[in-house]
Amino acid sequence: MLQLSVLRDQTELVLAGLAKRHYPTGPADVAAILDLDQRRRQLQTSHDSAQAEANELARQIGGLMKAGDKAGAETLKARTAELKQHTQTAAAELAQVEKDQQQLLYKLPNIPHASVPEGRGAADNEVVREHGTKPALGPDALPHWDLIKKYDIIDFELGVKITGAGFPVYKNQGARLQRALVNFFLDQARDAGYTEMQPPILVNEASGYGTGQLPDKEGQMYHDAKDDLYLIPTAEVPLTNIYRDEIVPVEKLPVRMAGYTPCFRREAGSWGADVRGLNRLHQFDKVEIVQITEPEHSYAALEAMLGHVESLLQQLGLPYRVLRLCGGDMGFTSALTYDLEVWSAAQGRWLEVSSVSNFETYQANRLKCRYKVDGKTQLLHTLNGSALALPRIVAALLENNQTSDGIELPQVLHSYCGFGKIIG
Protein backbone atom coordinates (compact mmCIF):
# COMPACT_ATOMS: atom_id res chain seq x y z
CA MET A 1 0.00 0.00 0.00
CA LEU A 2 1.34 3.41 -0.94
CA GLN A 3 2.10 5.77 1.91
CA LEU A 4 -0.16 8.80 2.30
CA SER A 5 2.88 11.02 2.74
CA VAL A 6 4.14 9.93 -0.69
CA LEU A 7 0.77 10.67 -2.31
CA ARG A 8 0.70 14.11 -0.68
CA ASP A 9 4.32 15.11 -1.25
CA GLN A 10 5.10 13.34 -4.54
CA THR A 11 1.75 13.37 -6.31
CA GLU A 12 3.18 13.80 -9.79
CA LEU A 13 5.61 10.93 -9.27
CA VAL A 14 2.74 8.68 -8.17
CA LEU A 15 0.61 9.67 -11.16
CA ALA A 16 3.52 9.04 -13.55
CA GLY A 17 4.06 5.60 -11.99
CA LEU A 18 0.39 4.69 -12.33
CA ALA A 19 0.48 5.87 -15.94
CA LYS A 20 3.47 3.58 -16.61
CA ARG A 21 1.34 0.74 -15.30
CA HIS A 22 -1.53 1.85 -17.57
CA TYR A 23 -3.73 2.01 -14.49
CA PRO A 24 -6.84 3.69 -15.90
CA THR A 25 -8.37 5.32 -12.82
CA GLY A 26 -5.11 6.56 -11.30
CA PRO A 27 -5.77 10.34 -11.44
CA ALA A 28 -9.33 10.01 -10.14
CA ASP A 29 -8.34 7.61 -7.35
CA VAL A 30 -5.40 9.74 -6.22
CA ALA A 31 -7.56 12.88 -6.23
CA ALA A 32 -10.24 11.10 -4.18
CA ILE A 33 -7.67 9.86 -1.65
CA LEU A 34 -6.19 13.33 -1.24
CA ASP A 35 -9.65 14.87 -0.83
CA LEU A 36 -10.48 12.32 1.85
CA ASP A 37 -7.13 12.96 3.50
CA GLN A 38 -7.87 16.68 3.70
CA ARG A 39 -11.31 15.94 5.14
CA ARG A 40 -9.78 13.48 7.60
CA ARG A 41 -7.33 16.06 8.88
CA GLN A 42 -10.08 18.68 9.20
CA LEU A 43 -12.24 16.28 11.20
CA GLN A 44 -9.31 15.27 13.38
CA THR A 45 -8.52 18.91 14.13
CA SER A 46 -12.16 19.67 14.92
CA HIS A 47 -12.44 16.58 17.13
CA ASP A 48 -9.24 17.34 19.00
CA SER A 49 -10.15 21.01 19.51
CA ALA A 50 -13.59 20.13 20.89
CA GLN A 51 -12.04 17.50 23.16
CA ALA A 52 -9.45 19.99 24.44
CA GLU A 53 -12.16 22.57 25.11
CA ALA A 54 -14.26 19.98 26.93
CA ASN A 55 -11.29 19.05 29.12
CA GLU A 56 -10.66 22.68 29.95
CA LEU A 57 -14.33 23.25 30.78
CA ALA A 58 -14.31 20.22 33.06
CA ARG A 59 -11.47 21.80 35.00
CA GLN A 60 -13.35 25.10 35.18
CA ILE A 61 -16.59 23.40 36.29
CA GLY A 62 -14.76 21.90 39.24
CA GLY A 63 -13.53 25.35 40.27
CA LEU A 64 -16.99 26.92 39.95
CA MET A 65 -18.59 24.17 42.03
CA LYS A 66 -16.02 24.73 44.79
CA ALA A 67 -16.76 28.46 44.66
CA GLY A 68 -20.49 27.79 44.94
CA ASP A 69 -21.29 29.17 41.48
CA LYS A 70 -23.78 26.49 40.46
CA ALA A 71 -25.35 28.62 37.71
CA GLY A 72 -21.99 29.18 36.06
CA ALA A 73 -21.18 25.50 36.39
CA GLU A 74 -24.49 24.52 34.77
CA THR A 75 -23.82 26.85 31.84
CA LEU A 76 -20.47 25.22 31.27
CA LYS A 77 -22.00 21.75 31.64
CA ALA A 78 -24.44 22.58 28.84
CA ARG A 79 -21.53 23.60 26.64
CA THR A 80 -19.70 20.42 27.60
CA ALA A 81 -22.70 18.36 26.47
CA GLU A 82 -22.65 20.15 23.11
CA LEU A 83 -18.95 19.43 22.77
CA LYS A 84 -19.46 15.77 23.66
CA GLN A 85 -22.07 15.44 20.92
CA HIS A 86 -19.73 17.20 18.49
CA THR A 87 -16.81 14.89 19.29
CA GLN A 88 -19.00 11.81 18.90
CA THR A 89 -20.29 12.98 15.54
CA ALA A 90 -16.79 13.94 14.38
CA ALA A 91 -15.39 10.60 15.57
CA ALA A 92 -18.04 8.64 13.66
CA GLU A 93 -17.47 10.65 10.48
CA LEU A 94 -13.71 10.38 10.94
CA ALA A 95 -13.94 6.58 11.19
CA GLN A 96 -15.98 6.42 7.96
CA VAL A 97 -13.59 8.74 6.11
CA GLU A 98 -10.60 6.65 7.25
CA LYS A 99 -12.35 3.46 6.11
CA ASP A 100 -13.16 4.96 2.69
CA GLN A 101 -9.62 6.22 2.32
CA GLN A 102 -8.16 2.84 3.28
CA GLN A 103 -10.27 1.05 0.68
CA LEU A 104 -9.10 3.44 -2.03
CA LEU A 105 -5.49 2.99 -0.95
CA TYR A 106 -5.91 -0.79 -1.21
CA LYS A 107 -6.97 -0.32 -4.85
CA LEU A 108 -3.80 1.50 -5.90
CA PRO A 109 -0.96 -0.71 -7.20
CA ASN A 110 2.68 -0.10 -6.36
CA ILE A 111 4.73 2.50 -8.21
CA PRO A 112 7.25 0.99 -10.66
CA HIS A 113 10.97 1.46 -10.11
CA ALA A 114 12.66 3.87 -12.52
CA SER A 115 14.32 0.96 -14.36
CA VAL A 116 10.98 -0.67 -15.26
CA PRO A 117 10.52 -0.44 -19.05
CA GLU A 118 7.50 1.10 -20.69
CA GLY A 119 4.96 -1.28 -22.17
CA ARG A 120 1.49 -2.72 -21.93
CA GLY A 121 2.02 -6.48 -21.92
CA ALA A 122 4.31 -9.49 -22.15
CA ALA A 123 5.50 -8.57 -25.64
CA ASP A 124 7.06 -5.39 -24.20
CA ASN A 125 9.11 -7.09 -21.47
CA GLU A 126 12.87 -6.54 -21.69
CA VAL A 127 15.11 -9.56 -22.22
CA VAL A 128 18.01 -8.97 -19.84
CA ARG A 129 20.03 -12.08 -20.81
CA GLU A 130 19.82 -15.66 -22.03
CA HIS A 131 21.88 -18.57 -20.75
CA GLY A 132 22.53 -22.05 -22.09
CA THR A 133 22.05 -23.83 -25.40
CA LYS A 134 18.64 -24.97 -26.55
CA PRO A 135 18.70 -28.74 -27.15
CA ALA A 136 18.01 -30.02 -30.65
CA LEU A 137 15.51 -32.85 -30.41
CA GLY A 138 14.90 -35.50 -33.01
CA PRO A 139 11.73 -35.84 -35.07
CA ASP A 140 10.29 -38.38 -32.64
CA ALA A 141 10.53 -36.06 -29.63
CA LEU A 142 7.44 -35.92 -27.44
CA PRO A 143 5.92 -33.13 -25.36
CA HIS A 144 5.91 -33.76 -21.63
CA TRP A 145 2.21 -34.69 -21.49
CA ASP A 146 2.98 -37.66 -23.75
CA LEU A 147 6.20 -38.50 -21.91
CA ILE A 148 4.45 -38.76 -18.55
CA LYS A 149 2.02 -41.29 -20.03
CA LYS A 150 4.83 -43.22 -21.69
CA TYR A 151 6.77 -43.54 -18.43
CA ASP A 152 3.70 -43.67 -16.12
CA ILE A 153 4.91 -40.96 -13.74
CA ILE A 154 1.94 -38.55 -13.52
CA ASP A 155 -1.76 -39.31 -13.84
CA PHE A 156 -4.03 -36.41 -14.80
CA GLU A 157 -7.13 -38.57 -15.22
CA LEU A 158 -6.80 -39.95 -11.70
CA GLY A 159 -6.53 -36.38 -10.42
CA VAL A 160 -9.76 -35.50 -12.22
CA LYS A 161 -11.46 -38.48 -10.59
CA ILE A 162 -10.30 -37.52 -7.11
CA THR A 163 -10.62 -33.74 -7.32
CA GLY A 164 -10.92 -32.21 -10.77
CA ALA A 165 -8.85 -30.83 -13.64
CA GLY A 166 -5.55 -29.26 -12.64
CA PHE A 167 -4.86 -31.57 -9.67
CA PRO A 168 -2.51 -34.28 -11.00
CA VAL A 169 -1.40 -37.38 -9.13
CA TYR A 170 2.38 -37.96 -9.16
CA LYS A 171 3.50 -41.56 -8.90
CA ASN A 172 6.46 -43.89 -9.24
CA GLN A 173 9.56 -42.04 -10.42
CA GLY A 174 7.47 -38.91 -10.92
CA ALA A 175 6.65 -38.71 -7.19
CA ARG A 176 10.29 -39.31 -6.30
CA LEU A 177 11.39 -36.59 -8.72
CA GLN A 178 9.00 -34.13 -7.04
CA ARG A 179 10.45 -34.88 -3.61
CA ALA A 180 13.99 -34.73 -4.98
CA LEU A 181 13.49 -31.27 -6.50
CA VAL A 182 11.96 -29.88 -3.31
CA ASN A 183 14.85 -31.18 -1.21
CA PHE A 184 17.43 -29.92 -3.69
CA PHE A 185 15.89 -26.45 -3.79
CA LEU A 186 15.61 -26.28 0.02
CA ASP A 187 19.20 -27.42 0.52
CA GLN A 188 20.43 -24.83 -1.96
CA ALA A 189 18.44 -22.11 -0.17
CA ARG A 190 19.87 -23.15 3.18
CA ASP A 191 23.40 -23.06 1.77
CA ALA A 192 22.68 -19.55 0.49
CA GLY A 193 21.82 -18.34 4.00
CA TYR A 194 18.03 -18.73 4.09
CA THR A 195 16.34 -20.09 7.21
CA GLU A 196 14.04 -22.96 6.33
CA MET A 197 10.45 -22.51 7.48
CA GLN A 198 7.37 -24.72 7.20
CA PRO A 199 4.40 -22.33 7.35
CA PRO A 200 0.64 -23.02 7.33
CA ILE A 201 -1.00 -23.33 3.92
CA LEU A 202 -4.20 -21.64 5.11
CA VAL A 203 -4.11 -17.94 6.03
CA ASN A 204 -6.58 -15.46 7.46
CA GLU A 205 -7.90 -12.35 5.76
CA ALA A 206 -5.41 -10.07 7.53
CA SER A 207 -2.54 -12.06 6.02
CA GLY A 208 -4.07 -11.80 2.55
CA TYR A 209 -4.33 -8.02 2.91
CA GLY A 210 -0.84 -7.84 4.40
CA THR A 211 0.95 -9.10 1.29
CA GLY A 212 -1.53 -7.69 -1.23
CA GLN A 213 -3.37 -10.77 -2.45
CA LEU A 214 -6.50 -9.11 -1.09
CA PRO A 215 -8.42 -7.31 -2.38
CA ASP A 216 -6.63 -7.70 -5.75
CA LYS A 217 -6.68 -11.48 -6.28
CA GLU A 218 -9.55 -12.85 -4.22
CA GLY A 219 -11.06 -14.35 -7.38
CA GLN A 220 -7.93 -16.46 -7.90
CA MET A 221 -7.79 -17.82 -4.33
CA TYR A 222 -9.61 -20.79 -2.84
CA HIS A 223 -11.68 -19.50 0.09
CA ASP A 224 -13.25 -21.41 2.98
CA ALA A 225 -16.20 -19.15 3.78
CA LYS A 226 -17.13 -20.95 7.01
CA ASP A 227 -13.81 -20.22 8.73
CA ASP A 228 -12.90 -17.26 6.49
CA LEU A 229 -9.53 -18.78 5.56
CA TYR A 230 -7.71 -18.82 2.23
CA LEU A 231 -5.53 -21.53 0.69
CA ILE A 232 -2.23 -19.88 -0.10
CA PRO A 233 -1.27 -19.09 -3.72
CA THR A 234 2.40 -19.00 -2.65
CA ALA A 235 4.50 -19.35 0.51
CA GLU A 236 5.24 -15.63 0.21
CA VAL A 237 1.97 -14.95 2.05
CA PRO A 238 2.53 -16.85 5.32
CA LEU A 239 6.29 -16.28 5.38
CA THR A 240 6.12 -12.51 4.97
CA ASN A 241 3.22 -12.26 7.43
CA ILE A 242 5.43 -13.70 10.15
CA TYR A 243 6.68 -10.11 10.45
CA ARG A 244 3.28 -8.40 10.37
CA ASP A 245 2.97 -5.82 13.17
CA GLU A 246 6.63 -6.29 14.08
CA ILE A 247 9.51 -3.90 14.68
CA VAL A 248 12.51 -5.94 13.57
CA PRO A 249 15.76 -5.28 15.47
CA VAL A 250 18.43 -3.94 13.13
CA GLU A 251 20.85 -6.66 14.19
CA LYS A 252 18.43 -9.29 12.84
CA LEU A 253 18.37 -7.77 9.36
CA PRO A 254 18.28 -8.90 6.69
CA VAL A 255 15.67 -11.56 7.35
CA ARG A 256 16.09 -14.46 4.92
CA MET A 257 13.51 -17.25 4.84
CA ALA A 258 12.82 -20.19 2.56
CA GLY A 259 9.78 -22.42 2.62
CA TYR A 260 8.31 -25.32 0.69
CA THR A 261 4.52 -25.46 0.36
CA PRO A 262 1.88 -26.69 -2.01
CA CYS A 263 0.30 -23.70 -3.75
CA PHE A 264 -3.32 -23.30 -4.83
CA ARG A 265 -4.63 -21.08 -7.61
CA ARG A 266 -8.05 -21.14 -9.18
CA GLU A 267 -6.61 -19.83 -12.48
CA ALA A 268 -10.10 -18.73 -13.52
CA GLY A 269 -10.38 -18.14 -17.25
CA SER A 270 -6.81 -19.29 -17.89
CA TRP A 271 -7.37 -22.52 -19.79
CA GLY A 272 -6.50 -22.97 -23.45
CA ALA A 273 -4.36 -24.81 -25.95
CA ASP A 274 -1.09 -23.45 -24.50
CA VAL A 275 -1.66 -24.70 -20.93
CA ARG A 276 -1.71 -28.46 -21.46
CA GLY A 277 -0.11 -30.91 -19.08
CA LEU A 278 2.00 -29.30 -16.37
CA ASN A 279 1.97 -25.84 -17.95
CA ARG A 280 -0.79 -24.59 -15.64
CA LEU A 281 -2.26 -26.29 -12.58
CA HIS A 282 -4.60 -25.52 -9.70
CA GLN A 283 -2.26 -27.19 -7.19
CA PHE A 284 1.52 -27.33 -7.46
CA ASP A 285 4.63 -27.46 -5.29
CA LYS A 286 7.06 -24.57 -4.89
CA VAL A 287 10.00 -23.45 -2.80
CA GLU A 288 9.85 -19.73 -2.05
CA ILE A 289 12.57 -17.39 -0.82
CA VAL A 290 11.74 -14.18 1.06
CA GLN A 291 13.91 -11.32 2.25
CA ILE A 292 13.10 -8.38 4.51
CA THR A 293 15.78 -5.72 4.60
CA GLU A 294 16.65 -2.04 4.96
CA PRO A 295 15.63 0.10 1.96
CA GLU A 296 19.21 0.96 1.01
CA HIS A 297 20.07 -2.73 0.65
CA SER A 298 16.96 -4.05 -1.08
CA TYR A 299 18.06 -3.79 -4.70
CA ALA A 300 21.36 -5.52 -3.96
CA ALA A 301 19.24 -8.20 -2.25
CA LEU A 302 17.05 -8.45 -5.36
CA GLU A 303 20.07 -9.07 -7.59
CA ALA A 304 21.39 -11.68 -5.14
CA MET A 305 18.03 -13.47 -5.15
CA LEU A 306 17.98 -13.41 -8.94
CA GLY A 307 21.48 -14.87 -8.99
CA HIS A 308 20.39 -17.64 -6.63
CA VAL A 309 17.51 -18.66 -8.89
CA GLU A 310 19.79 -18.56 -11.94
CA SER A 311 22.25 -20.86 -10.16
CA LEU A 312 19.49 -23.43 -9.67
CA LEU A 313 18.63 -23.42 -13.37
CA GLN A 314 22.29 -23.65 -14.31
CA GLN A 315 22.81 -26.68 -12.06
CA LEU A 316 19.75 -28.31 -13.63
CA GLY A 317 21.23 -27.66 -17.08
CA LEU A 318 18.13 -25.82 -18.32
CA PRO A 319 18.45 -23.06 -20.91
CA TYR A 320 16.77 -19.95 -19.55
CA ARG A 321 16.30 -16.25 -20.03
CA VAL A 322 15.78 -13.36 -17.62
CA LEU A 323 13.11 -10.75 -18.34
CA ARG A 324 12.57 -7.38 -16.71
CA LEU A 325 8.80 -6.90 -16.72
CA CYS A 326 7.34 -3.76 -18.23
CA GLY A 327 4.94 -1.47 -16.40
CA GLY A 328 1.83 -3.03 -17.90
CA ASP A 329 2.81 -6.64 -17.11
CA MET A 330 3.95 -6.28 -13.49
CA GLY A 331 2.19 -7.74 -10.50
CA PHE A 332 -0.02 -5.44 -8.45
CA THR A 333 2.33 -5.14 -5.46
CA SER A 334 5.72 -5.12 -7.21
CA ALA A 335 8.09 -2.20 -7.78
CA LEU A 336 10.41 -4.29 -9.98
CA THR A 337 10.06 -7.89 -11.15
CA TYR A 338 12.38 -10.25 -12.98
CA ASP A 339 10.78 -13.28 -14.60
CA LEU A 340 12.86 -16.36 -15.39
CA GLU A 341 11.75 -18.63 -18.21
CA VAL A 342 13.14 -22.02 -19.24
CA TRP A 343 13.19 -23.35 -22.78
CA SER A 344 10.73 -26.15 -23.42
CA ALA A 345 12.31 -27.99 -26.34
CA ALA A 346 9.39 -30.18 -27.42
CA GLN A 347 6.90 -27.31 -27.17
CA GLY A 348 9.34 -24.88 -28.75
CA ARG A 349 8.59 -22.04 -26.35
CA TRP A 350 9.65 -20.36 -23.12
CA LEU A 351 7.93 -21.32 -19.85
CA GLU A 352 7.93 -19.02 -16.83
CA VAL A 353 9.29 -20.80 -13.74
CA SER A 354 10.08 -17.94 -11.38
CA SER A 355 9.33 -14.33 -10.55
CA VAL A 356 11.73 -12.40 -8.30
CA SER A 357 10.35 -9.10 -7.04
CA ASN A 358 11.12 -6.12 -4.84
CA PHE A 359 8.00 -4.61 -3.28
CA GLU A 360 9.90 -1.77 -1.57
CA THR A 361 7.63 -0.44 1.24
CA TYR A 362 4.33 -1.45 -0.40
CA GLN A 363 3.80 -4.67 1.55
CA ALA A 364 5.60 -3.38 4.65
CA ASN A 365 3.16 -0.46 4.89
CA ARG A 366 0.22 -2.89 4.90
CA LEU A 367 2.00 -5.23 7.28
CA LYS A 368 3.36 -2.51 9.58
CA CYS A 369 6.72 -4.25 9.20
CA ARG A 370 9.25 -1.77 10.53
CA TYR A 371 12.62 -1.12 12.11
CA LYS A 372 14.15 1.79 14.00
CA VAL A 373 16.76 4.20 12.64
CA ASP A 374 18.17 6.75 15.10
CA GLY A 375 15.16 6.16 17.31
CA LYS A 376 12.66 6.72 14.50
CA THR A 377 10.40 3.94 13.21
CA GLN A 378 10.77 3.33 9.45
CA LEU A 379 9.25 0.87 6.99
CA LEU A 380 11.36 -2.02 5.73
CA HIS A 381 11.51 -3.39 2.18
CA THR A 382 10.16 -6.87 1.38
CA LEU A 383 11.22 -9.14 -1.48
CA ASN A 384 10.36 -12.64 -2.64
CA GLY A 385 11.14 -15.10 -5.40
CA SER A 386 10.23 -18.58 -6.63
CA ALA A 387 13.19 -20.88 -6.10
CA LEU A 388 11.60 -22.77 -7.76
CA ALA A 389 8.08 -23.75 -8.86
CA LEU A 390 8.11 -27.41 -9.87
CA PRO A 391 5.59 -28.10 -12.68
CA ARG A 392 7.26 -26.32 -15.59
CA ILE A 393 10.72 -27.28 -14.32
CA VAL A 394 9.60 -30.90 -14.55
CA ALA A 395 8.09 -30.27 -17.99
CA ALA A 396 11.37 -28.84 -19.30
CA LEU A 397 13.49 -31.56 -17.67
CA LEU A 398 11.38 -34.28 -19.28
CA GLU A 399 11.29 -32.71 -22.73
CA ASN A 400 14.86 -31.44 -22.95
CA ASN A 401 16.49 -34.63 -21.66
CA GLN A 402 14.47 -37.31 -23.44
CA THR A 403 16.33 -40.10 -25.20
CA SER A 404 15.24 -43.23 -27.00
CA ASP A 405 15.55 -45.33 -23.83
CA GLY A 406 14.52 -42.93 -21.05
CA ILE A 407 14.92 -39.45 -19.65
CA GLU A 408 18.38 -38.53 -18.39
CA LEU A 409 18.23 -36.41 -15.23
CA PRO A 410 20.81 -33.76 -14.26
CA GLN A 411 23.71 -35.07 -12.19
CA VAL A 412 22.80 -32.87 -9.20
CA LEU A 413 19.51 -34.76 -8.79
CA HIS A 414 20.87 -38.31 -8.88
CA SER A 415 21.58 -38.57 -5.15
CA TYR A 416 18.26 -36.92 -4.31
CA CYS A 417 16.25 -39.19 -6.60
CA GLY A 418 18.16 -42.41 -6.04
CA PHE A 419 18.25 -42.87 -9.82
CA GLY A 420 19.67 -40.99 -12.80
CA LYS A 421 17.24 -41.94 -15.52
CA ILE A 422 13.45 -42.18 -15.77
CA ILE A 423 12.65 -45.46 -17.44
CA GLY A 424 9.10 -46.13 -16.29
Side-chain angles (χ1 to χ4, degrees):
M1 183 169 65
L2 296 177
Q3 299 175 71
L4 269 173
S5 59
V6 174
L7 267 73
R8 283 196 300 260
D9 302 337
Q10 302 180 59
T11 306
E12 294 305 316
L13 177 68
V14 171
L15 291 174
L18 295 175
K20 181 180 267 192
R21 278 185 170 274
H22 302 279
Y23 184 72
T25 61
D29 288 348
V30 170
I33 290 168
L34 294 177
D35 286 345
L36 286 169
D37 187 50
Q38 185 176 10
R39 179 60 180 158
R40 179 189 63 81
R41 287 184 288 170
Q42 290 170 345
L43 286 167
Q44 189 69 63
T45 299
S46 177
H47 175 277
D48 292 348
S49 297
Q51 187 64 57
E53 183 181 349
N55 292 339
E56 174 60 24
L57 290 179
R59 187 188 64 78
Q60 293 179 20
I61 289 169
L64 290 172
M65 292 296 289
K66 287 182 180 180
D69 187 356
K70 292 183 179 181
E74 289 301 322
T75 299
L76 294 187
K77 284 181 179 179
R79 173 59 179 161
T80 300
E82 293 175 359
L83 291 169
K84 181 179 180 181
Q85 181 61 47
H86 178 82
T87 55
Q88 289 175 345
T89 302
E93 188 176 350
L94 180 62
Q96 185 61 52
V97 167
E98 289 176 339
K99 181 180 179 181
D100 293 344
Q101 185 181 61
Q102 188 81 350
Q103 291 305 308
L104 281 174
L105 283 168
Y106 280 142
K107 285 178 56 181
L108 286 183
N110 203 355
I111 301 305
H113 186 264
S115 66
V116 170
E118 300 283 350
R120 289 184 174 273
D124 301 313
N125 293 335
E126 174 190 349
V127 178
V128 177
R129 56 182 166 271
E130 290 189 18
H131 183 276
T133 302
K134 298 176 183 177
L137 301 181
D140 297 328
L142 299 173
H144 71 272
W145 50 83
D146 289 334
L147 290 168
I148 62 178
K149 290 182 179 179
K150 178 178 179 179
Y151 295 106
D152 193 27
I153 55 176
I154 303 173
D155 195 322
F156 285 98
E157 289 74 18
L158 189 55
V160 171
K161 174 185 177 181
I162 296 170
T163 308
F167 295 89
V169 174
Y170 300 86
K171 56 183 182 178
N172 304 324
Q173 288 182 302
R176 294 173 67 184
L177 176 58
Q178 289 284 111
R179 179 157 49 92
L181 284 167
V182 168
N183 287 336
F184 171 63
F185 294 153
L186 284 173
D187 286 351
Q188 290 291 303
R190 185 189 64 239
D191 292 346
Y194 292 88
T195 299
E196 183 175 341
M197 311 288 285
Q198 189 171 6
I201 61 173
L202 282 161
V203 295
N204 56 30
E205 185 179 69
S207 293
Y209 272 93
T211 44
Q213 278 67 36
L214 298 176
D216 179 53
K217 293 184 175 64
E218 63 266 43
Q220 293 293 335
M221 298 172 71
Y222 287 98
H223 181 220
D224 173 23
K226 183 175 181 179
D227 293 320
D228 197 20
L229 296 174
Y230 294 84
L231 280 167
I232 61 169
T234 166
E236 166 204 349
V237 182
L239 289 179
T240 311
N241 270 280
I242 291 171
Y243 289 88
R244 174 158 45 92
D245 297 320
E246 296 287 333
I247 296 177
V248 185
V250 174
E251 60 271 18
K252 292 189 176 181
L253 294 171
V255 172
R256 296 187 181 97
M257 298 176 287
Y260 154 68
T261 64
C263 303
F264 303 88
R265 300 181 185 180
R266 292 185 63 243
E267 299 287 5
S270 298
W271 300 102
D274 62 338
V275 292
R276 292 186 63 182
L278 296 170
N279 288 344
R280 184 159 292 160
L281 301 174
H282 290 311
Q283 178 181 334
F284 60 94
D285 291 333
K286 180 156 68 82
V287 172
E288 190 83 357
I289 54 174
V290 169
Q291 286 208 40
I292 300 173
T293 189
E294 302 98 320
E296 63 268 26
H297 300 316
S298 70
Y299 278 94
L302 179 67
E303 295 301 322
M305 293 171 75
L306 175 62
H308 174 73
V309 178
E310 289 190 72
S311 75
L312 299 178
L313 297 175
Q314 290 169 13
Q315 291 180 77
L316 293 175
L318 293 173
Y320 68 88
R321 67 178 183 177
V322 178
L323 306 176
R324 183 184 286 113
L325 299 192
C326 69
D329 199 36
M330 291 171 57
F332 184 84
T333 54
S334 175
L336 176 61
T337 294
Y338 292 110
D339 269 7
L340 293 98
E341 299 177 336
V342 297
W343 181 249
S344 172
Q347 297 179 73
R349 65 190 188 97
W350 296 101
L351 301 176
E352 179 197 333
V353 293
S354 175
S355 288
V356 184
S357 301
N358 188 347
F359 306 103
E360 296 187 354
T361 62
Y362 190 88
Q363 288 183 332
N365 192 31
R366 289 175 172 233
L367 295 159
K368 294 182 174 58
C369 178
R370 300 154 292 170
Y371 74 125
K372 285 189 176 180
V373 185
D374 299 327
K376 294 183 178 180
T377 303
Q378 305 285 344
L379 292 172
L380 287 158
H381 279 194
T382 63
L383 307 93
N384 81 275
S386 306
L388 285 157
L390 269 64
R392 295 171 189 167
I393 290 292
V394 171
L397 286 174
L398 297 178
E399 293 181 7
N400 295 6
N401 298 304
Q402 59 183 296
T403 69
S404 59
D405 61 348
I407 298 168
E408 299 280 358
L409 294 177
Q411 183 66 41
V412 292
L413 295 181
H414 290 187
S415 61
Y416 286 95
C417 289
F419 55 87
K421 179 184 284 191
I422 294 175
I423 55 177

